Amino acid sequence: PALISEQLSATFEFQQLLDFEVNFPSDNYFSFSECLDKIRIEGTFPEVRELYDLKRSLETVRSILNFLKTKDEIKYPGLKKLCGPVKTYPYVIDSIDRIIDRHGAIKDNASVRLKEIRSEIISKNIQASRRLSAILRQAQAEGIVDSETTVSLRNGRGVIPVSTFDKRKLKGLIHDQSASGKTVFIEPEEIVEINNDIVELEYEEKREIVRILTALADNIRPYIDDLLESNIFLGDM
């Protein structure tokens, strides 16, 4: 009965708060217990989306605590009592902020190496695009393809549509064929090498992101139990 009475009182206080107060934090209520339980084990890491939700939820918890801190103890004793044991650890929010941007993506400068990898990928993509355009112009000049032909995309790679009869005139890798069978889509030989470099860099990018996320998990692991209390608090709210 005492517990029920306490919860009913807190519920009544919350009704009063919603009726008479403004700007109570009402966004970003995500449960993050699964994420924290997952990273308890050393060597594990969270998904980027899980970290983004964790950060936003902890910001909501912090906003709720700041909101209720300024309210009357007599008017909201039950809600203020709920706030008592809650810890938000700004260090955790700041650590996530350093590697994740406001859209929930890993920042380029999350590590020095990640920034280098992404710069190399951009540079290689520009190189591939320019070289592909030059090869297309040359193929048009030699009459291998029509003057109106443009670069297409197949399997994520830039290709040149060529008549089946002329396919041997353009060295490269055939990625696709038109439904009629009259056109093949060729990735020129020298572009294949550049694109292979891009694929390798993209794999390295993924490995670096895993390393960054694993390091972050190591940093916030000591705070898991207190953060789980914050998760319960958010659920109560």
Side-chain angles (χ1 to χ4, degrees):
L3 177 61
I4 292 170
S5 177
E6 195 175 85
Q7 291 179 340
L8 285 172
S9 294
T11 302
F12 174 74
E13 289 172 29
F14 205 91
Q15 287 176 309
Q16 297 298 299
L17 182 149
L18 293 178
D19 284 341
F20 300 111
E21 308 288 351
V22 293
N23 299 326
F24 184 82
S26 58
D27 294 327
N28 299 327
Y29 281 69
F30 305 105
S31 175
F32 48 86
S33 58
E34 283 187 24
C35 168
L36 294 176
D37 285 336
K38 183 168 76 175
I39 65 171
R40 274 189 187 279
I41 304 165
E42 195 170 335
T44 57
F45 61 92
E47 298 296 327
V48 176
R49 183 71 198 187
E50 290 175 327
L51 262 190
Y52 185 46
D53 289 347
L54 170 60
K55 186 198 86 158
R56 291 187 293 167
S57 291
L58 290 177
E59 286 173 340
T60 300
V61 170
R62 183 170 60 185
S63 297
I64 293 170
L65 295 177
N66 289 338
F67 181 92
L68 289 171
K69 190 188 296 182
T70 63
K71 302 308 170 189
D72 190 351
E73 183 86 42
I74 297 171
K75 197 172 182 182
Y76 303 113
L79 294 180
K80 289 180 82 73
K81 183 181 177 183
L82 282 174
C83 296
V86 182
K87 298 172 185 174
T88 56
Y89 290 109
Y91 169 78
V92 174
I93 297 174
D94 292 343
S95 295
I96 299 172
D97 259 337
R98 277 195 290 273
I99 67 168
I100 290 183
D101 65 22
R102 59 193 181 90
H103 303 296
I106 293 285
K107 291 179 177 178
D108 290 348
N109 61 356
S111 78
V112 174
R113 183 56 191 144
L114 184 64
K115 190 171 185 177
E116 290 173 350
I117 292 167
R118 288 183 171 175
S119 294
E120 287 177 47
I121 289 172
I122 290 169
S123 176
K124 289 282 184 183
N125 274 314
I126 291 171
Q127 184 185 345
S129 178
R130 286 175 177 168
R131 193 68 202 107
L132 191 60
S133 296
I135 293 169
L136 174 62
R137 286 195 297 272
Q138 187 174 344
Q140 288 169 334
E142 293 173 1
I144 298 172
V145 299
D146 296 335
S147 59
E148 296 177 0
T149 300
T150 57
V151 170
S152 297
L153 203 64
R154 289 293 186 278
N155 304 320
R157 301 225 179 184
V159 293
I160 296 174
V162 180
S163 166
T164 306
F165 300 106
D166 293 321
K167 66 182 180 182
R168 300 196 184 281
K169 294 179 182 178
L170 186 65
K171 289 184 179 180
L173 188 65
I174 295 175
H175 276 276
D176 200 2
Q177 190 174 48
S178 65
S180 65
K182 293 180 179 178
T183 305
V184 292
F185 297 88
I186 298 176
E187 181 184 14
E189 200 169 54
E190 58 186 285
I191 305 298
V192 172
E193 190 174 336
I194 299 172
N195 281 333
N196 285 342
D197 290 342
I198 292 170
V199 170
E200 285 182 21
L201 284 166
E202 287 171 344
Y203 280 125
E204 189 180 351
E205 178 188 23
K206 288 174 183 174
R207 289 194 298 272
E208 179 63 11
I209 287 172
V210 167
R211 189 197 66 75
I212 291 166
L213 294 174
T214 303
L216 179 76
D218 291 341
N219 288 337
I220 68 176
R221 192 168 289 116
Y223 309 103
I224 284 178
D225 289 334
D226 284 338
L227 292 173
L228 284 171
E229 288 297 324
S230 294
N231 184 69
I232 293 169
F233 171 75
L234 197 62
D236 287 342
M237 287 296 114

